[in-house]
Amino acid sequence: MEQGIQLSDLAHLAPELTLVISAVIISLIDLLMPRHRSRTVIGWLTIAGLLAAAVFIGMRLNLEEPIELLHHSYRVDHFGDLVKLVLLGSTALIVLMSIGGIKQKETPHVGEYYYFYLPAVLGGMIMVSSGDLITLFVGLELLSITSYIMVAMKKKDSRSNEGAFKYVVLGGVSSAMILYGMSFLYGMSGSTNLAEINAQLSLYSGSFGALIYVAFFLLLAGFGFKIAAAPFHTWAPDVYQGAPTPVTAFLAVVSKAAGLALMFRVFYMVFFQVNAGPNLPIDADVYMSLSVLAAISMIAGHFMALKQKNMKRLLAYSGIANAGYLLVPIAAKISLIHTSNFSEFIYYMVAYALMNIGAFALLFTIEATSGSSEIKGFAGLYYRAPWTAVAMVLIILSLAGIPVTAGFFGKLFILLGALEMKLYWLAIIMILTSVASYYYYFGVIRQMFMRSGEEPEELKTTIPQQITLWVCAGLGIVLGFFPGLLLNYVESVFRLGKDLFIY
């Protein structure tokens, strides 16, 4: 069997190659530009590279059969392509909000700041298309190492340095746990290919029952760190608070989405239909463990957010809770009676991305105005910038899951999926924790409309930040009024067997 990349295969790798070529060219442009020149053009070129990669993916969404490269280690299928579009679109919006807002006195290397998003999102794209443990880990570390550097971009900020140090140390521990879990899988199966591992575990699982569980829980802990799911979330508030705000948005949206999609593929491809004996279905225990992790994340995230006074930390804990919501479709085992969990997953992922990027875009503006990311910086926003406050209200309503918004339907679809799979206890936790979140979400609205700042001042915003804010708020409302546009399309494109199981 041919294992190398042929010339014809390069067309299937066009999105990834576009990002690589863009990163190289833009870095050379940055190197050759005079030091005193503005790096705004670097930001626009980065967006152009991201959009070009998205166009290449869009051109192949009518693909009939999955494409397998490098002896099945890299897959081109609709599962990966749909997630990649979310990653690329989210990163483009994050770079857009950065243009004009990144100051050289805070971030000395502005050019590097922009084009570092390209290898970071490339790592996420490799992760979601991986069919092999080695490819998976290469993508994971490309995303992780680039993220470590981006968190530390504010070199003179002690919080940024502290957050980056914590991120590196704990990230290294999580990577070690993932590698350790992978080593068990390789030792039991003699292969690093996900489908081959599943086949070997299915044949010999009676002999490896306990070790399969060890491998699973090591992977679960490592991946849980990457998506900031409780109880592996302790790094997130400090790192989110210390990083530049657009980088925080990237970690909260793109890094989390890539990690969740990776979990979706790995757990279904490796542990699906594996039994350690006639009365011990491993895949059922896997999904129960994911359900418990989802519940812990929702409870811990929302209730720890109740006492937060810093907006970055509040959104960090909100992200932990939302990781729990996004784990529910993964925990809802694919079966003959429920095959729509991927469409629920991708719909809420898009809604979550729009909600958070919009919130961080406005927070970036508030930081430039007040010099702080405290919630009290939103005080009196309606009286200073009424339309900006309205856009933020739309985003907060979506975060809270109020009809008719994308966040509401995203949670509703996931809730209905959980009920269909008879996960009643998990559905109850979803409802109760969502209600608890109203307190701190509406606390931001209270600040904007019912409080006045000590020294009202003009909002220091940029056109790209306003565009980002309104794009996120507008798309959130459109998806709320017409949820079927995205949901039905994903269901029509995604094919259960071909995209996740059959090689």
Side-chain angles (χ1 to χ4, degrees):
M1 181 177 294
E2 184 61 50
Q3 299 184 22
I5 293 183
Q6 305 300 307
L7 187 61
S8 59
D9 295 334
L10 295 179
H12 301 303
L13 293 173
E16 290 81 359
L17 291 174
T18 298
L19 295 181
V20 173
I21 295 170
S22 298
V24 172
I25 292 176
I26 294 173
S27 63
L28 291 175
I29 293 174
D30 179 50
L31 184 64
L32 295 173
M33 286 180 65
R35 182 172 298 180
H36 64 276
R37 292 287 298 275
S38 170
R39 261 48 183 180
T40 300
V41 66
I42 301 296
W44 291 113
L45 289 174
T46 300
I47 294 176
L50 293 166
L51 295 180
V55 168
F56 282 121
I57 292 175
M59 292 170 59
R60 71 183 186 202
L61 280 178
N62 59 351
L63 194 67
E64 292 296 328
E65 297 291 333
I67 304 298
E68 302 152 0
L69 305 173
L70 292 173
H71 193 36
H72 309 308
S73 66
Y74 199 80
R75 287 175 60 82
V76 177
D77 55 26
H78 290 122
F79 173 91
D81 282 348
L82 289 170
V83 176
K84 287 175 186 177
L85 287 176
V86 177
L87 301 183
L88 289 168
S90 300
T91 306
L93 286 172
I94 291 168
V95 176
L96 179 62
M97 82 158 79
S98 304
I99 293 177
I102 297 296
K103 307 301 182 183
Q104 192 164 6
K105 63 180 181 180
E106 298 176 354
T107 308
H109 305 289
V110 178
E112 289 182 8
Y113 163 84
Y114 285 124
Y115 62 75
F116 260 51
Y117 283 104
L118 296 172
V121 74
L122 174 63
M125 291 171 64
I126 294 173
M127 287 166 59
V128 300
S129 283
S130 296
D132 189 276
L133 296 178
I134 297 174
T135 312
L136 179 160
F137 193 74
V138 169
L140 184 67
E141 287 306 291
L142 178 58
L143 173 59
S144 298
I145 293 172
T146 312
S147 298
Y148 301 154
I149 298 171
M150 294 172 69
V151 169
M153 279 288 183
K154 295 168 69 175
K155 294 184 177 182
K156 299 178 181 179
D157 189 326
S158 60
R159 283 185 176 174
S160 181
N161 294 330
E162 179 186 352
F165 179 75
K166 290 180 178 178
Y167 198 20
V168 169
V169 173
L170 294 176
V173 172
S174 70
S175 295
M177 297 180 74
I178 292 172
L179 277 176
Y180 198 25
M182 289 179 177
S183 69
F184 278 102
L185 292 178
Y186 177 74
M188 289 183 286
S189 64
S191 174
T192 57
N193 183 270
L194 299 183
E196 182 63 25
I197 291 171
N198 178 269
Q200 294 299 315
L201 294 185
S202 300
L203 286 174
Y204 304 108
S205 58
S207 304
F208 300 124
L211 291 180
I212 295 175
Y213 283 107
V214 171
F216 165 71
F217 284 110
L218 285 169
L219 291 176
L220 183 64
F223 293 153
F225 172 90
K226 300 300 182 183
I227 65 170
F232 312 106
H233 66 282
T234 53
W235 62 274
D238 290 337
V239 174
Y240 281 27
Q241 187 176 7
T245 299
V247 175
T248 304
F250 182 86
L251 297 177
V253 175
V254 178
S255 183
K256 190 184 298 288
L260 284 158
L262 178 63
M263 292 177 71
F264 205 119
R265 188 186 288 277
V266 170
F267 289 147
Y268 275 103
M269 289 188 69
V270 172
F271 299 101
F272 186 72
Q273 293 181 339
V274 173
N275 297 288
N279 301 315
L280 190 58
I282 289 176
D283 56 351
D285 292 337
V286 166
Y287 305 129
M288 177 53 69
S289 300
L290 291 172
S291 297
V292 172
L293 187 66
I296 294 173
S297 298
M298 287 185 280
I299 294 170
H302 281 313
F303 283 96
M304 293 180 75
L306 293 175
K307 61 180 181 180
Q308 299 304 315
K309 303 299 182 184
N310 183 279
M311 191 64 178
K312 279 189 175 181
R313 297 183 74 88
L314 185 149
L315 290 173
Y317 285 113
S318 171
I320 292 163
N322 279 286
Y325 293 132
L326 285 163
L327 280 170
V328 174
I330 307 178
K333 177 181 175 183
I334 289 179
S335 67
L336 294 177
I337 64 170
H338 183 68
T339 58
S340 62
N341 50 351
F342 178 70
S343 57
E344 299 160 5
F345 174 77
I346 201 74
Y347 183 94
Y348 193 68
M349 184 186 290
V350 172
Y352 171 78
L354 293 173
M355 296 183 293
N356 278 267
I357 293 172
F360 279 113
L362 181 55
L363 177 59
F364 198 28
T365 298
I366 295 296
E367 285 181 324
T369 304
S370 66
S372 169
S373 59
E374 298 297 307
I375 296 176
K376 63 182 181 181
F378 288 83
L381 181 63
Y382 174 73
Y383 304 101
R384 291 182 285 163
W387 286 109
T388 300
V390 168
M392 187 60 178
V393 168
L394 297 177
I395 288 170
I396 290 175
L397 292 178
S398 191
L399 279 167
I402 301 296
V404 179
T405 60
F408 168 75
F409 281 106
K411 291 179 180 178
L412 178 63
F413 293 144
I414 291 174
L415 179 67
L416 294 176
L419 292 173
E420 188 177 357
M421 292 304 299
K422 299 182 179 179
L423 296 171
Y424 301 121
W425 65 276
L426 194 56
I428 292 172
I429 290 175
M430 284 187 63
I431 294 171
L432 294 178
T433 54
S434 293
V435 173
S437 71
Y438 293 169
Y439 176 80
Y440 62 85
Y441 285 139
F442 287 103
V444 180
I445 295 179
R446 184 173 64 250
Q447 287 286 341
M448 292 191 295
F449 288 85
M450 301 180 184
R451 300 286 186 272
S452 58
E454 296 179 359
E455 296 180 3
E457 53 184 321
E458 185 179 354
L459 201 65
K460 297 179 181 178
T461 188
T462 64
I463 293 177
Q465 288 169 4
Q466 289 294 309
I467 292 174
T468 304
L469 177 64
W470 279 103
V471 165
C472 292
L475 287 179
I477 295 300
V478 169
L479 285 179
F481 277 100
F482 307 101
L485 289 177
L486 177 60
L487 196 70
N488 294 335
Y489 176 73
V490 174
E491 289 185 347
S492 67
V493 168
F494 177 67
R495 296 157 303 176
L496 174 61
K498 291 182 178 180
D499 279 345
L500 277 183
F501 303 114
I502 299 175
Y503 276 85

